[in-house]
Amino acid sequence: MLRKIRIILAAVFVVFTSLLFLDFTGTIHGWFGWMAKIQFIPAILALNIGIIIALLLLTLLFGRIYCSVICPLGIFQDGISWIAGKRKKNRFTFSPAKSWLRYSIMGIFILSLVLGITSVFTILEPYSAFGRIISNLFAPVYQWGNNILAYFAERMDSYTFYSTDVWIKSTLTFSIAAVSLVVISILAWQNGRTYCNTICPVGTFLGFLSKYSLFRPAFVSDKCNGCGLCARNCKASCISTKERKIDYSRCVTCMNCVEKCNKNAIVYTLRKKTETKNATELPTAGTDAATVKPDKSLRDFFSVSSLFLLSATLKAQQNVADGGLAEIEDKKIPARNTPVVPPGAQGIKNMSSKCTACQLCISVCPNNILRPSEKLENFMQPEMSFEKGYCRPECTKCSEVCPTGAIRKIDRAGKSAISIGQAVWIKDNCIVNTDEIQCTNCEHHCPTGAITLINRDPQYQDSMKIPAINKELCIGCGACEYLCPARPFSAIYVEGNLRHHAV
């Protein structure tokens, strides 16, 4: 029964967490956006103390329930492992923990988090890895399916569905997502939860806590006949039937062992008082409790766990075209000295310190202006580019879905008063100068009136007009850059502000 309850809850979590990345309309976020906010690392970076305490208490009470019910990447691996199990049942065996590798990776993760090396910690963070896989590999298929439905609906005079653009926003991020999917799938297919118990830093950290959990699977020694059925169904490979021991730091509380044992020799039960905090089994009959080895890693637990939480917390506190029938050449991305990041991000520093590059904001952006960065300093984190659209004043979706506080929630009125960048005019690209054609696009479409046209030659009243930019009014929305007819580079583009400010 416990296993069935876990599977039902896990299925609900993985389905709706996936829909957060697939649903480009933003409808799902209104109901299930909280599922992103209760992920472990996003909760730490958002300094959501209530959620952090709840997840820690959940682990101390019931073991690594987070890994088997809440973490979408862990549940995804369970799905792959379940499919593999259809071909070969009872396929797992006990394997010793590779502690040196687990702790080394967690140490690298913590160090990269503290030093702000985004290219490392964004790749290792499990929720973000899952988000990249869904948004880069599965979302296009979902969108193509939507477009097919929209095609047929339109022919029946129905507008229940509408078409959306399907395109790869970053080849490098797409490749990393593909490699992650292949590696994680192979490990899950062959060995179940190897990724979670060897590579994942969140799994390693929660493993410290689960060694001290109040409830845990345990052997009933007088019923166990040593058949090994529990170990052969343990996807964490953490049960040694010879010694009748369970490595609780790797156990993900999946309940497979409890359900598969036909002798009721392994049960999910309250930890006995005679157990030490480091014990890996219930004392067998006739065993003197005094002979059980005392806890040797309590200080290690507190030191590592404190370092993990404190480092993340300290890091989190840093800074808190007009058409026509002719074919139009595609625009190219200008070389910006400073990236443009969304309103609500407060600036480059806050974005870099809190963003885990989960791609959730990129998935829901209706204007197609957010895409993963390929620069090392903000690797795979969102930045804005205006070849396919601009940041419309009425849209605040990215700030509504961010689970880490990298993009703080803003309202429509507040957004129009935030300057995220400054428009820059390149006179050699402007068609007024290159083609002697009068153009008014930038002035006409500027939502704040920051652009006005002035005489190119002040001495002649009838001279052609060129744009003049009022930096006090410009909010960096990119409307001028997007709607500029100059090709391949716009005659006016947006440079990002290091720190956003009010206009």
Side-chain angles (χ1 to χ4, degrees):
M1 175 60 81
L2 289 175
R3 179 173 177 268
K4 290 182 176 62
I5 293 173
R6 177 192 66 78
I7 291 173
I8 292 171
L9 291 175
V12 170
F13 265 89
V14 75
V15 167
F16 286 103
T17 304
S18 299
L19 285 175
L20 293 179
F21 294 93
L22 296 175
D23 178 34
F24 52 86
T25 67
T27 305
I28 298 295
H29 293 273
W31 294 92
F32 298 100
W34 57 271
M35 288 187 175
K37 292 179 170 61
I38 66 170
Q39 301 300 319
F40 192 69
I41 296 299
I44 289 177
L45 293 177
L47 291 179
N48 199 325
I49 304 301
I51 290 176
I52 295 170
I53 293 174
L55 292 176
L56 296 180
L57 288 176
L58 184 69
T59 306
L60 287 170
L61 285 173
F62 303 111
R64 285 172 60 180
I65 291 290
Y66 173 88
C67 298
S68 58
V69 174
I70 299 175
C71 176
L73 189 64
I75 303 168
F76 175 78
Q77 292 172 75
D78 286 347
I80 298 293
S81 181
W82 177 78
I83 295 171
K86 292 296 182 181
R87 298 182 59 209
K88 183 179 179 182
K89 298 183 182 297
N90 304 325
R91 61 196 179 92
F92 300 114
T93 57
F94 172 77
S95 62
K98 295 178 176 61
S99 299
W100 66 271
L101 181 58
R102 297 170 69 194
Y103 302 144
S104 296
I105 292 175
M106 188 173 73
I108 292 171
F109 180 81
I110 293 173
L111 189 63
S112 67
L113 196 62
V114 173
L115 298 179
I117 306 175
T118 60
S119 57
V120 176
F121 81 79
T122 55
I123 290 177
L124 292 175
E125 204 280 304
Y127 164 73
S128 299
F130 177 80
R132 284 190 294 273
I133 290 171
I134 297 298
S135 61
N136 285 277
L137 305 179
F138 291 90
V141 177
Y142 179 86
Q143 291 166 350
W144 279 323
N146 169 83
N147 290 351
I148 291 172
L149 291 175
Y151 174 82
F152 288 107
E154 184 180 350
R155 273 143 189 79
M156 293 185 291
D157 293 327
S158 172
Y159 296 93
T160 304
F161 301 93
Y162 61 89
S163 296
T164 183
D165 291 337
V166 182
W167 56 293
I168 297 176
K169 298 177 175 66
S170 168
T171 304
L172 181 58
T173 302
F174 180 90
S175 302
I176 290 173
V179 170
S180 299
L181 175 64
V182 171
V183 171
I184 291 169
S185 297
I186 290 174
L187 290 175
W189 184 273
Q190 294 181 341
N191 302 304
R193 285 294 192 110
T194 299
Y195 181 88
C196 297
N197 287 330
T198 307
I199 299 173
C200 178
V202 175
T204 301
F205 173 72
L206 294 179
F208 275 108
L209 275 72
S210 63
K211 290 193 293 184
Y212 310 96
S213 61
L214 188 61
F215 291 89
R216 56 178 58 182
F219 281 99
V220 180
S221 298
D222 56 352
K223 293 184 178 181
C224 180
N225 61 4
C227 69
L229 194 59
C230 55
R232 284 182 279 130
N233 284 277
C234 177
K235 59 195 174 188
S237 300
C238 67
I239 299 178
S240 173
T241 50
K242 286 185 178 180
E243 300 178 353
R244 294 182 183 175
K245 289 184 178 180
I246 300 173
D247 182 353
Y248 293 113
S249 72
R250 291 186 291 155
C251 175
V252 293
T253 322
C254 67
M255 306 299 178
N256 283 3
C257 57
V258 176
E259 183 169 292
K260 293 294 181 180
C261 181
N262 50 28
K263 301 294 184 182
N264 294 324
I266 189 165
V267 295
Y268 186 69
T269 185
L270 186 68
R271 188 179 65 199
K272 298 288 184 70
K273 290 183 179 180
T274 53
E275 290 182 89
T276 64
K277 294 179 181 178
N278 190 25
T280 54
E281 62 172 325
L282 287 175
T284 57
T287 301
D288 185 358
T291 64
V292 180
K293 292 183 180 180
D295 180 15
K296 63 182 178 61
S297 62
L298 187 58
R299 285 183 298 176
D300 291 341
F301 160 68
F302 281 115
S303 60
V304 175
S305 61
S306 298
L307 177 61
F308 189 94
L309 290 173
L310 182 61
S311 62
T313 302
L314 289 175
K315 191 64 185 172
Q317 287 179 319
Q318 293 181 3
N319 313 312
V320 230
D322 293 12
L325 298 178
E327 185 176 346
I328 300 176
E329 183 181 2
D330 289 339
K331 284 194 175 186
K332 293 183 179 179
I333 302 174
R336 306 182 208 275
N337 294 320
T338 306
V340 187
V341 294
Q346 299 181 332
I348 304 299
K349 198 169 183 180
N350 181 69
M351 172 66 78
S352 298
S353 65
K354 292 186 177 181
C355 178
T356 63
C358 73
Q359 317 290 298
L360 191 53
C361 57
I362 295 173
S363 298
V364 302
C365 178
N367 304 310
N368 291 323
I369 59 172
L370 288 180
R371 61 203 62 187
S373 170
E374 296 186 355
K375 304 181 188 72
L376 191 61
E377 60 269 21
N378 60 332
F379 189 53
M380 292 192 297
Q381 294 180 347
E383 62 181 22
M384 304 172 85
S385 198
F386 307 107
E387 296 77 53
K388 292 181 176 287
Y390 67 97
C391 193
R392 296 181 178 273
E394 70 276 8
C395 178
T396 58
K397 285 191 175 181
C398 60
S399 75
E400 294 168 2
V401 302
C402 180
T404 68
I407 307 175
R408 297 183 183 275
K409 191 170 183 178
I410 56 175
D411 56 27
R412 296 180 180 182
K415 178 181 178 179
S416 298
I418 299 173
S419 176
I420 61 175
Q422 292 289 327
V424 179
W425 180 58
I426 309 298
K427 67 176 183 178
D428 292 337
N429 292 348
C430 187
I431 64 172
V432 175
N433 294 327
T434 59
D435 299 334
E436 293 294 323
I437 297 174
Q438 184 61 62
C439 173
T440 63
N441 270 14
C442 53
E443 179 192 49
H444 179 70
H445 292 286
C446 180
T448 62
I451 300 176
T452 55
L453 297 181
I454 61 174
N455 289 334
R456 183 174 62 180
D457 189 342
Q459 296 180 358
Y460 296 95
Q461 201 70 346
D462 296 331
S463 73
M464 302 189 76
K465 298 184 181 298
I466 56 175
I469 302 164
N470 184 341
K471 293 185 177 181
E472 299 297 323
L473 296 177
C474 180
I475 59 174
C477 67
C480 54
E481 180 178 336
Y482 169 59
L483 294 163
C484 178
R487 296 294 190 277
F489 292 101
S490 294
I492 191 165
Y493 79 99
V494 178
E495 273 289 351
N497 288 334
L498 284 173
R499 289 189 67 180
H500 298 174
H501 59 81
V503 294

